[in-house]
Amino acid sequence: MPRSLPPLTALRAFEAAARLLSFTRAARELHVTPAAVSHQIRGLEKYLGVTLFRRTTRKLVLTEQGQVAAEQFREGFERLARGVNLLRADAGRASLVVSTTTAFATRWLVPRLGRYARRHPDVDLRLRAGTQPVDFDHDEVDVAIRIGRGGFAGALAIPLFGESVAPLASPGFLRQHGIRRAGDLARAPLLHDESMRRVGRPPGWAEWLRAAGVRGVDAGPGMHFDDGHLVLQAAAAGRGVALGRLAYALDDLDAKRLRMPFGPVLQMELKYYLLLPETRVNEPAIAGFRAWLGQEALSFAPKLREVAGEKRR
């Protein structure tokens, strides 16, 4: 029969708080907020059906059950640490599971992974594609990259860069259909990116046409895609004009597979974020990936702003 155990993050929060007799000092050690530590311990108490601390105005006191649990958990974490160190000594390598969308991996992350591999040759990176919310307590994921407005539950969210959308099409398609001004879209098939609906209602063709002051263009017909990569592939193949993400399109714009024929560029109220488990941010593989990704984002953001600023309204 499998053992039923509470989340490891809750056990780590309790062990640190019991050892330090302070939610604040435990939070500092784990690099989370005191509220996060308190939340984890309340969840653990509910899971176990016992009270672990007596909370007074001046100090934190372990109950009898809490003292017993603290001794066992401290010994358990020490044994775990020894086991991990033994495995690392034997294997000499670490692994890191990164969850992100297929589109972000294809369009942005994978082309840069050569630089990561050269910097961290001892880490085996494993990419896992998905769009669902990440639960670090239960999913076999170490870090994740998602787009949103922030406020990701149960994770430390590090902003990477923003996103904008603009009309994008292949140079051949624009020449063939004589697309020079926004009003010319009336005679061009429109390609729709619906992949960001999971995080709200991002601007679509109807919003873009209003921002451009264009009338007489039906924003509804055309191919609809639930993947930001596929809509740009369709545009590059000459299937129409996409309202595409510029962060995904920069390489195609540089290679002249796509062109932005006119503005405006619409800035979205969304950003790409690196999500980290709050209690594991200092693990070497996670910290290394965070530092590398932060540098990549820092060098990429000005290029994105430059392209977006060319035709931003």
Side-chain angles (χ1 to χ4, degrees), residues 2 5 26 31 42-43 74-75 143 153 180 225-226 254 292 308:
L5 294 174
H31 298 278
R42 283 198 302 271
R74 186 176 301 119
E75 181 182 346
V143 301
R180 298 182 179 85
F225 298 83
D226 194 29
D254 287 343
W292 169 79

Side-chain angles (χ1 to χ4, degrees), residues 135-153:
D135 184 344
F136 288 116
D137 288 337
H138 298 96
D139 299 339
E140 294 182 359
V141 170
D142 296 310
V143 301
I145 302 170
R146 293 289 189 271
I147 189 170
R149 291 180 169 83
F152 296 89

Side-chain angles (χ1 to χ4, degrees), residues 76-97:
F77 277 111
E78 289 174 354
R79 291 174 63 88
L80 280 173
R82 289 195 296 270
V84 169
N85 289 335
L86 286 172
L87 288 174
R88 283 177 174 165
D90 288 342
R93 302 187 62 80
S95 65
L96 187 75
V97 180

Side-chain angles (χ1 to χ4, degrees), residues 31-49:
H31 298 278
V32 298
T33 64
V37 171
S38 179
H39 174 75
Q40 291 287 355
I41 290 174
R42 283 198 302 271
L44 181 61
E45 289 176 327
K46 183 177 179 181
Y47 183 95
L48 297 174

Side-chain angles (χ1 to χ4, degrees), residues 14-32:
F14 169 71
E15 190 279 329
R19 175 166 34 86
L20 300 169
L21 289 178
S22 168
F23 287 175
T24 300
R25 290 197 294 271
R28 192 177 300 122
E29 177 179 298
L30 298 173
H31 298 278
V32 298

